[in-house]
Amino acid sequence: MTAIIQAEKLTKSYGPFRGIVDVDLEVNQGEIFGFLGPNGAGKTTTIRILLDLIRPTSGRARVFGIDAADDPVQIHRRLGYLPGEWNLYDRLTGMETITYFANLRGGVDRKYVEELVQRLDLDPSRRFREYSKGNKQKVGLICALQHRPELLILDEPTSGLDPLVQQTFNELLFEGRAAGRTVFLSSHIISEVERTCDRVAIIREGRIVRLDTVEGVRSLAAHEVELRFAEPVAAAPFAAIEGVTHVTEEGRTLRMLVTGPIAPVVRLAGQYDLVDFVSREPSLEEVFLAEYETVPATPSTPSAR
Amino acid sequence: MSSALATTAVLDRVPPSLRARVLGLGSVFGKAFRDSRRTAIGLGVVFALVMLVTASQVATQFATIEERVQVAVQLQALPAIFQGMLGEPIHIELMGGFLSWRVLNFLPVMLGIWSIVALSGTLAGELGRGSMDMLASAPVSRARLAVQKLAGYLAALGVTTLILVLGLVAAFAAFSVLPGDSVGLGAIAAHAVWIYLTILVPGAVAFALAPITGRNGALGVGAIVLFGSFVINGFASSVSVFETLRPLSYFGLTAEHRPLADRYDWGSVGALAVITAALLALGVLAFARRDLLQPSSGRLRLPSIGLWLREPFTRAFGERLPSAIVWGLGLGLFGLVIATSADQFVASMGAIPQVTQMIKQIFPGQDILSTGGFLQLAFFSEAIIVVGLAAGGFVGGWASDEADRRLELILGAPVSRARWALRSATAVMGAIAVMTAVMAVGVVIGAATQVGNALNLLPGMAVLGLYGMALAGIGLAVGGLIRPSLAAPVTIILGLAFYLIDLIGSILDLPDFIVDLALNRHLGRPILGSYDDVGIVVSVALAVGGVILCAVGVRRRDIGR
């Protein structure tokens, strides 16, 4: 599997402010990689280093095997980028804006641009300053997608888009993946990442705290298990099982959180008169929130952004 | 797989045409040039017309060699302080010498402002707007991006200069009435090189600093370099400190290169070209090497107090206050230097009886040979330009509330449009008052070293501030009634136009109705205690009326134009 993005011990400080700390990442060709974290966690800082818009304090970032600081032009030639916070030229129309960014890449396939305009339902004849937030976002997406880049780096891409356009956007991502393109998608909208991404990294206070497939991240998290018995059963034996926490007793029902293998719980429950067994897999959102409800991983440093 | 993906993209693409690359959206250069072309052509046409009008007036007003020699002798006999800050009059009896001295020596100041505004924002403007990240993610290296954006402006300035050259060619062809008036294309081109460079220098300073200080800091330093160099060169013969500093002034450095007056000094022009190129290269390198972040320096910080957050007036006033203090400090420093040099001026002028006699004829009943007189001539008449620019800056800040869409949020609160407009526009006037007060402190401190009661100068300072408020009032009215994006340009253009009309109007005997349009001609000589009552009432009416009209306009029109 070819690594498209590689970050090794990537660290960035803004004077006394923390940006990111020892970020290690590897994004492979043909995957949609989610980068999750709340505001100020370091998502945008990581992305801006990958694009050589800012330089790391230490560590290395490579895209397409090229060091980001060595030959950013070569990297930019092959990627499409939509920043999280941006604005463009008020006096240009949507189409002029798209054309300008196409020209900076030496031109693009105009038929594909027309197709994107149509699919995202954009009126390209209006001036940029007259667009709503969602329409501006569509212009940005088309600028990022129009040259069919090998790698798409998208920072909060669906901000301001209505659900119908979001669906079209997801289709575009899946089509890109099917064609072997890679997507690095930063977001704090967990459902979006869960729906679209193959793998996900969770960044917290500048550090990567989880990195796995979406399924993997979920499976590592606690399952919510509910056991209903014919008669009341003592909670203590269940609480003694490794990986079982938060056991509560309510009449003939026991509820608990199970992290890791569930078989010991099933075996013990089988020794009683078990009426019903419900195990619910946690959503990515629950995993994410659980990650952020725990104590801080490192001494707190003020974040820069 | 990757190469297959790339090949597909390359095969389908339609590259931009050569025309688009040069004149349109086909490249960073094309867009930069496209963005500046209207301004470049407009400024070129305006100043080409100024050259034609001036040349025609010279030809008709001074049609014989005797008349030319007479006016030249009169002008040369005046001490430098009465000649304006235009440097040495060289061969002003000839058309080329006169145009060079009276108009072209001041042109780099007017267009230098454009250069500073454009080049300080070339890259910092993209960062401030939020478009830099997308632009820098295109496959164009940062150094190339900076060079192309810079080249776009250099080409635009080239267009302005070219139009000016055409205006000069036409002026000499049509109005060279006396022997020696004709000037060859070579001399015009050689003069144009000097004009191009001197317009560019302060912009190059701003361009070099903008990646480090941000746009505000770069604008400020560029303005100091522009006006500082001009003032130092202009008053070098009257103020000893300026004489010492003259080698640092780029106007002083190149003062001997006036090809239209048949004087050449390519060495100084070459040196200036090298300095300018180095500054531009520095700006490119700084941009290429630094993180693409908004620099946090370049702006005076106010203490964080609740007052600035109380309501629209205090918010807007708090926003404008740091700039008001900086503008005031700059003007105050200028006034301080002029005021402390007054004794030298009085002594040197008083030592020549003919000059004393001439001054009494020009300014009957007024004590020009005094600290106040010197301040009126050397400070008031020049500070007028800076006050106009400052007023434009404050009005621009006011307009940005609407242009940057903050106003929509503000009006989402229970604040009426008229209330916001009245208060935020009044805050502009408040900022001008603060600037005037800070400036007055500098002037009064300087004057206190020369005269007993320097506080007598304060009403004169107040009139200067009132002039700034009148200009701001016009800008606010236009911004409120029509659209906010026009407010600052109208204020700045009017300020410069008034100065220019005053500078060349009388000597060219332009019709009274044109010369009288200049508001600064109707203020009297307030530092000497002589006031033009009508002018002052008109200024008050423009300031107050402007705020009211601004509120009326904002109440009626669509928001977010």
Side-chain angles (χ1 to χ4, degrees):
Chain A
M1 212 174 257
T2 313
I4 299 292
I5 295 175
Q6 291 163 293
E8 293 166 19
K9 300 278 175 213
L10 213 51
T11 299
K12 175 71 180 176
S13 313
Y14 301 96
F17 299 105
R18 183 264 305 149
I20 53 172
V21 185
D22 290 338
V23 166
D24 288 311
L25 270 181
E26 193 162 291
V27 179
N28 297 315
Q29 187 185 342
E31 72 174 331
I32 303 180
F33 188 92
F35 199 37
L36 265 179
N39 301 328
K43 302 189 296 291
T44 301
T45 296
T46 308
I47 287 175
R48 297 188 86 222
I49 293 174
L50 294 175
L51 285 145
D52 190 44
L53 301 177
I54 55 176
R55 269 119 204 196
T57 309
S58 63
R60 288 181 74 180
R62 274 181 293 179
V63 183
F64 302 116
I66 304 164
D67 195 304
D70 281 354
D71 194 353
V73 174
Q74 200 55 39
I75 294 170
H76 294 179
R77 211 180 292 285
R78 296 162 70 181
L79 64 77
Y81 172 50
L82 180 69
E85 275 183 48
W86 57 281
N87 201 355
L88 287 174
Y89 312 103
D90 280 351
R91 291 179 189 175
L92 297 187
T93 65
M95 187 47 87
E96 283 174 333
T97 305
I98 293 163
T99 304
Y100 178 48
F101 282 95
N103 286 339
L104 295 184
R105 299 186 166 279
V108 298
D109 176 3
R110 287 186 186 151
K111 279 184 187 154
Y112 184 57
V113 173
E114 281 164 23
E115 184 191 322
L116 287 172
V117 166
Q118 208 166 26
R119 286 180 70 178
L120 290 170
D121 191 25
L122 174 75
D123 173 2
S125 63
R126 298 183 64 186
R127 282 182 193 269
F128 191 79
R129 70 170 173 213
E130 294 166 358
Y131 280 131
S132 66
K133 189 176 177 185
N135 280 325
K136 283 181 179 172
Q137 195 73 2
K138 290 178 192 174
V139 173
L141 279 172
I142 295 172
C143 288
L145 289 162
Q146 62 179 336
H147 51 291
R148 296 192 178 101
E150 294 166 59
L151 168 64
L152 260 176
I153 297 184
L154 306 169
D155 195 355
E156 314 285 358
T158 53
S159 166
L161 297 182
D162 65 50
L164 289 173
V165 180
Q166 279 187 33
Q167 199 174 0
T168 308
F169 166 73
N170 290 343
E171 286 166 16
L172 288 165
L173 290 190
F174 296 142
E175 287 167 17
R177 177 173 61 188
R181 302 179 205 286
T182 310
V183 181
F184 185 86
L185 188 153
S186 154
S187 180
H188 55 236
I189 303 169
I190 303 160
S191 56
E192 172 179 285
V193 172
E194 192 167 23
R195 218 169 28 240
T196 53
C197 294
D198 305 306
R199 287 200 304 146
V200 61
I202 298 179
I203 185 166
R204 178 185 177 193
E205 293 175 9
R207 292 173 188 272
I208 302 286
V209 289
R210 288 280 176 100
L211 197 165
D212 206 336
T213 60
V214 172
E215 291 304 318
V217 169
R218 281 197 304 219
S219 67
L220 282 175
H223 282 56
E224 207 177 275
V225 174
E226 185 180 299
L227 305 170
R228 196 145 54 84
F229 298 97
E231 293 169 4
V233 169
F238 288 92
I241 299 172
E242 193 182 335
V244 174
T245 56
H246 296 84
V247 183
T248 57
E249 201 180 328
E250 193 181 305
R252 291 174 294 168
T253 303
L254 289 181
R255 290 193 182 87
M256 62 199 76
L257 294 177
V258 181
T259 309
I262 208 164
V265 176
V266 176
R267 274 198 295 272
L268 181 60
Q271 294 171 18
Y272 302 93
D273 191 0
L274 182 65
V275 177
D276 199 6
F277 177 98
V278 179
S279 172
R280 198 173 63 79
E281 194 179 46
S283 66
L284 191 58
E285 185 161 356
E286 283 164 324
V287 175
F288 180 81
L289 291 175
E291 198 57 59
Y292 273 84
E293 277 167 5
T294 54
V295 288
T298 52
S300 185
T301 314
S303 70
R305 49 197 54 231
Chain B
M1 188 67 175
S2 277
S3 61
L5 289 174
T7 309
T8 313
V10 169
L11 285 177
D12 294 338
R13 77 184 188 189
V14 181
S17 64
L18 181 65
R19 184 186 157 83
R21 281 179 197 273
V22 177
L23 296 171
L25 298 171
S27 67
V28 176
F29 168 83
K31 179 167 185 307
F33 182 64
R34 181 183 189 267
D35 289 348
S36 300
R37 65 188 169 180
R38 284 195 188 130
T39 311
I41 292 170
L43 287 170
V45 168
V46 165
F47 284 101
L49 287 174
V50 168
M51 299 315 300
L52 282 165
V53 170
T54 309
S56 74
Q57 289 296 102
V58 170
T60 50
Q61 297 296 319
F62 315 110
T64 65
I65 191 72
E66 290 77 19
E67 286 172 328
R68 291 277 189 90
V69 170
Q70 191 185 0
V71 76
V73 168
Q74 283 172 355
L75 286 170
Q76 283 164 337
L78 283 172
I81 194 79
F82 298 104
Q83 294 173 355
M85 300 191 295
L86 300 173
E88 185 193 352
I90 305 167
H91 293 312
I92 58 170
E93 70 281 4
L94 298 176
M95 181 70 84
F98 189 89
L99 292 179
S100 163
W101 181 67
R102 200 65 199 175
V103 185
L104 295 177
N105 277 3
F106 189 66
L107 186 76
V109 177
M110 297 268 199
L111 292 181
I113 296 165
W114 174 44
S115 164
I116 296 169
V117 172
L119 287 178
S120 64
T122 300
L123 299 166
E126 294 263 8
L127 261 176
R129 184 194 299 121
S131 50
M132 183 54 91
D133 271 20
M134 279 190 74
L135 189 59
S137 73
V140 180
S141 74
R142 277 211 233 158
R144 196 169 151 212
L145 198 156
V147 167
Q148 286 203 27
K149 291 205 75 128
L150 176 63
Y153 175 73
L154 296 180
L157 179 55
V159 168
T160 305
T161 312
L162 184 65
I163 295 171
L164 184 69
V165 164
L166 294 176
L168 280 168
V169 169
F172 283 114
F175 303 112
S176 294
V177 288
L178 297 178
D181 270 356
S182 291
V183 172
L185 190 58
I188 294 174
H191 209 103
V193 170
W194 173 80
I195 291 170
Y196 186 91
L197 267 180
T198 44
I199 292 170
L200 190 56
V201 171
V205 172
F207 182 77
L209 285 176
I212 300 155
T213 65
R215 190 172 194 187
N216 287 339
L219 270 172
V221 177
I224 288 169
V225 169
L226 170 62
F227 288 104
S229 290
F230 188 66
V231 167
I232 285 168
N233 180 55
F235 287 165
S237 59
S238 306
V239 180
S240 60
V241 181
F242 289 170
E243 184 60 48
T244 315
L245 294 173
R246 194 167 182 243
L248 297 176
S249 156
Y250 62 93
F251 287 105
L253 176 72
T254 55
E256 291 298 311
H257 185 79
R258 295 294 181 272
L260 288 184
D262 199 25
R263 196 176 279 187
Y264 292 83
D265 179 10
W266 283 111
S268 66
V269 173
L272 192 63
V274 170
I275 293 167
T276 309
L279 286 167
L280 295 174
L282 201 66
V284 171
L285 280 178
F287 176 73
R289 292 187 173 199
R290 290 175 66 86
D291 284 350
L292 286 185
L293 297 169
Q294 281 272 54
S296 54
S297 56
R299 188 175 159 86
L300 189 68
R301 282 182 187 275
L302 285 179
S304 299
I305 55 174
L307 177 67
W308 312 129
L309 310 173
R310 191 165 291 170
E311 49 92 48
F313 173 79
T314 60
R315 178 70 236 134
F317 185 64
E319 282 283 325
R320 311 282 94 78
L321 190 55
S323 318
I325 293 171
V326 171
W327 281 108
L329 285 172
L331 281 165
L333 183 66
F334 175 36
L336 182 93
V337 174
I338 295 290
T340 50
S341 308
D343 53 349
Q344 295 169 24
F345 162 76
V346 173
S348 63
M349 295 297 111
I352 311 167
Q354 298 92 320
V355 170
T356 312
Q357 189 61 33
M358 186 174 61
I359 289 170
K360 281 183 179 164
Q361 284 173 2
I362 300 172
F363 304 102
Q366 290 182 345
D367 188 10
I368 289 292
L369 293 179
S370 65
T371 301
F374 189 50
L375 278 167
Q376 179 68 48
L377 292 172
F379 174 72
F380 189 93
S381 56
E382 306 306 330
I384 282 275
I385 317 174
V386 182
V387 166
L389 292 176
F394 298 137
V395 170
W398 168 84
S400 73
D401 262 359
E402 188 172 351
D404 296 343
R405 306 216 132 177
R406 288 186 294 274
L407 183 56
E408 289 170 31
L409 267 175
I410 294 167
L411 294 180
V415 176
S416 73
R417 291 181 182 203
R419 183 175 162 216
W420 171 81
L422 275 175
R423 295 187 180 213
S424 58
T426 306
V428 169
M429 301 304 176
I432 295 174
V434 169
M435 174 188 75
T436 309
V438 175
M439 168 186 76
V441 170
V443 174
V444 167
I445 290 172
T449 64
Q450 308 284 314
V451 294
N453 189 3
L455 294 176
N456 287 341
L457 301 172
L458 287 179
M461 298 293 112
V463 171
L464 195 53
L466 178 61
Y467 173 72
M469 289 182 188
L471 288 178
I474 299 170
L476 288 166
V478 171
L481 289 166
I482 305 170
R483 64 173 62 217
S485 59
L486 293 176
V490 163
T491 308
I492 291 171
I493 289 168
L494 273 182
L496 293 174
F498 287 165
Y499 183 87
L500 194 63
I501 290 172
D502 186 37
L503 185 74
I504 60 172
S506 345
I507 200 158
L508 297 179
D509 208 18
L510 292 177
D512 285 351
F513 76 90
I514 292 179
V515 178
D516 285 343
L517 285 175
L519 183 61
N520 52 336
R521 289 179 62 85
H522 303 285
L523 302 174
R525 295 195 176 92
I527 296 190
L528 288 167
S530 163
Y531 305 100
D532 182 331
D533 295 338
V534 175
I536 286 173
V537 169
V538 168
S539 296
V540 171
L542 286 171
V544 176
V547 171
I548 293 168
L549 282 176
C550 170
V552 170
V554 170
R555 202 162 70 89
R556 289 181 172 203
R557 67 167 167 78
D558 291 345
I559 296 296
R561 281 183 176 186

